Amino acid sequence: MTVHHIVPPYLLEHLERTADDPNLRARYRQSLQHDAVFRARPSATPSQDAAPFQDAAPSQDEGPAQGPRRVVHDAEHGTSLPGTVVRAEGAPATTDLAVNQAYDGTGATWAMFQECFGRDSIDGAGLLLSSTVHFDRGYANAFWDGAQMVFGDGDGEIFGDFTRSIDVTGHELTHGVTQYTANLAYEGQSGALNESISDVFGSLAKQHHLGQSAADADWLIGAGIFRPGVSGAALRSLKAPGTAYDDPRLGRDPQPAHMSGYVETTADHGGVHINSGIPNHAFYLVAKELGGNAYGDAGRIWYSTLTSGELSETATFIDFAQATIAAATTLFGADSPQVSAVTTAWTEVGVLQSDTADPSQPPESSAQSESSEQSEESERSQSSQPSGSAESVELMRAANTALSTQTPPRPPASIPLPSDQPAEPAAADPETADPDTPANPSRPETPASGSD
């Protein structure tokens, strides 16, 4: 079982090489070392955490589908997992914001899967949702290890608390759902699909929790985890891949939104975090076209594809695209708007071609055409995307090597800079929300106390 981290390794490697502060370089190096250790060892098993939960909350009579089963541990800045139980299902909020955010984020993710798709926890059978907060000191990542969530507190310079965003928690827990269903191999295109599915349902968990429509949503993954002063809104954007951040310390978001920018690389398991931007954008286009709630028809199509049992563990983008069309056909009919939306989206991102083209080949054109409805952010992203595989590799190289810090690049105009306000969140108002303006990335995505 592969351990899945929310921050791509190339970002931490870049920071470790270029940070001016030796203490920060040491923190990034230590985070990378931890990540390497977890990748090399067998993952934990869910049964390891069952006993602490039962001891802390012995009375659970509702049955597996009546509510989530959660337990949060505190590593107390150590590295032994899972740590000390600090909050179990039904227990009141603590004074530790990270504990409460982990508890609420796992609950919001459970609620989305249960209420939208009838799935009881990540294994479909009421699996305990176990989390650990305050892992190590300055740990700049969060991950799913095959049995539980683990959150770092961030380095304090680039990254803050990783419990702040529901989409981060939803992303990592969805790796568990994929583990129990399609079990997509974490390499190349199947690995990028693995990452993309986690981004999709991570975003849907936040949208469902906030009651947002596809038009209201920010479509960001990791909103709120950057510290003040970082020019960026999040780690990734499904709406406009390539625009999530643009900072002299981090570099520019390297994700392509189209197969013309596909990155051929051996790094990061074959570019799983970079190339996931392509299927990410396809889902966004489907959700935008269908309207309403993205966790409605669009989400049902992706969930049905993931859980159909017919998807190969080494599925390519084309395989997945064809599987989503088949799922949409089964759910809504061959002549339905849903099938049309799915087919059009995969064509727009260059995965599927016209009937006369070979869909296994990337497009020959060096520039991606944009429709008149494409957002301003996405237009800016596409105009800056590489025109072919050689430039794609160069973009990957730029994300992994030292960039000039003499003149910081101006962040994308539509991406607000985060402020250091760990205040209680205010749910987005669907009546007044600007569909083209991302949510405040500094706002915690989960309340400081209480359960979902």
Side-chain angles (χ1 to χ4, degrees):
M1 169 61 201
T2 302
V3 175
H4 302 278
H5 298 84
I6 191 68
V7 178
Y10 59 80
L11 274 184
L12 292 177
E13 291 166 359
H14 175 70
L15 289 168
E16 192 271 330
R17 284 194 300 267
T18 61
D20 293 330
D21 187 340
N23 292 324
L24 284 176
R25 289 200 300 272
R27 288 182 182 180
Y28 299 132
R29 187 179 308 113
Q30 185 171 349
S31 293
L32 285 165
Q33 290 170 347
H34 281 313
D35 296 350
V37 168
F38 280 112
R39 284 195 297 268
R41 77 183 190 187
S43 61
T45 58
S47 61
Q48 290 176 332
D49 282 340
F53 172 85
Q54 292 167 354
D55 292 341
S59 58
Q60 183 86 13
D61 301 323
E62 295 83 359
Q66 297 302 311
R69 298 173 59 240
R70 292 166 285 182
V71 60
V72 182
H73 305 84
D74 188 348
E76 299 175 337
H77 304 294
T79 58
S80 295
L81 295 175
T84 304
V85 173
V86 288
R87 188 176 179 188
E89 188 61 49
T94 73
T95 58
D96 189 328
L97 182 62
V99 170
N100 299 327
Q101 288 175 335
Y103 182 90
D104 294 338
T106 52
T109 304
W110 183 93
M112 182 270 296
F113 277 112
Q114 170 64 29
E115 295 172 17
C116 299
F117 311 114
R119 186 177 190 84
D120 183 14
S121 193
I122 60 178
D123 68 340
L127 184 71
L128 177 70
L129 298 176
S130 177
S131 304
T132 296
V133 299
H134 304 310
F135 178 79
D136 203 7
R137 295 187 182 275
Y139 181 63
N141 225 325
F143 62 87
W144 165 258
D145 75 348
Q148 69 162 106
M149 277 291 308
V150 179
F151 298 95
D153 295 330
D155 60 288
E157 179 71 18
I158 300 294
F159 299 103
D161 224 336
F162 282 84
T163 58
R164 294 180 59 152
S165 295
I166 286 176
D167 43 70
V168 168
T169 304
H171 170 104
E172 294 301 335
L173 291 178
T174 301
H175 279 304
V177 176
T178 300
Q179 169 188 335
Y180 280 96
T181 55
N183 196 28
L184 291 166
Y186 204 61
E187 185 74 28
Q189 289 194 7
S190 59
L193 288 168
N194 196 316
E195 279 296 323
S196 175
I197 288 165
S198 280
D199 277 353
V200 164
F201 287 98
S203 182
L204 293 186
K206 178 168 64 175
Q207 293 177 38
H208 179 262
H209 180 70
L210 297 177
Q212 293 176 331
S213 68
D216 296 328
D218 62 17
W219 292 100
L220 298 172
I221 299 299
I225 65 171
F226 284 144
R227 294 284 296 161
V230 176
S231 296
L235 289 169
R236 292 181 288 280
S237 170
L238 286 76
K239 181 178 182 179
T243 68
Y245 59 85
D246 192 350
D247 185 270
R249 294 161 293 182
L250 289 169
R252 179 170 64 87
D253 176 4
Q255 277 204 316
H258 189 271
M259 284 299 291
S260 60
Y262 186 88
V263 179
E264 294 285 356
T265 178
T266 58
D268 188 25
H269 298 278
V272 297
H273 286 95
I274 287 183
N275 292 321
S276 59
I278 297 167
N280 275 1
H281 195 55
F283 180 83
Y284 164 76
L285 291 174
V286 173
K288 182 185 74 168
E289 176 64 24
L290 295 179
N293 298 124
Y295 45 84
D297 290 354
R300 286 180 63 198
I301 293 167
W302 254 244
Y303 181 79
S304 178
T305 302
L306 179 66
T307 59
S308 66
E310 300 178 1
L311 197 64
S312 167
E313 292 184 6
T314 57
T316 64
F317 287 178
I318 294 173
D319 294 335
F320 192 81
Q322 293 171 340
T324 57
I325 294 171
T329 301
T330 299
L331 289 170
F332 303 105
D335 297 325
S336 64
Q338 291 84 353
V339 169
S340 176
V342 173
T343 305
T344 299
W346 287 114
T347 303
E348 286 191 29
V349 301
V351 170
L352 298 181
Q353 307 300 311
S354 65
D355 292 339
T356 59
D358 181 357
S360 66
Q361 298 299 319
E364 296 297 330
S365 173
S366 62
Q368 177 184 354
S369 63
E370 293 294 328
S371 69
S372 59
E373 298 180 12
Q374 189 76 8
S375 69
E376 185 175 310
E377 299 99 319
S378 189
E379 288 176 2
R380 185 162 49 248
S381 169
Q382 301 310 320
S383 66
S384 63
Q385 291 300 330
S387 59
S389 60
E391 292 183 6
S392 298
V393 173
E394 188 66 12
L395 180 59
M396 180 67 172
R397 183 199 63 79
N400 281 273
T401 57
L403 302 179
S404 172
T405 58
Q406 300 303 311
T407 304
R410 179 174 297 178
S414 64
I415 297 181
L417 297 181
S419 60
D420 194 22
Q421 296 291 331
E424 293 289 325
D429 184 356
E431 298 297 324
T432 61
D434 183 349
D436 291 324
T437 303
N440 183 355
S442 67
R443 181 176 298 159
E445 301 297 348
T446 54
S449 63
S451 61
D452 293 294

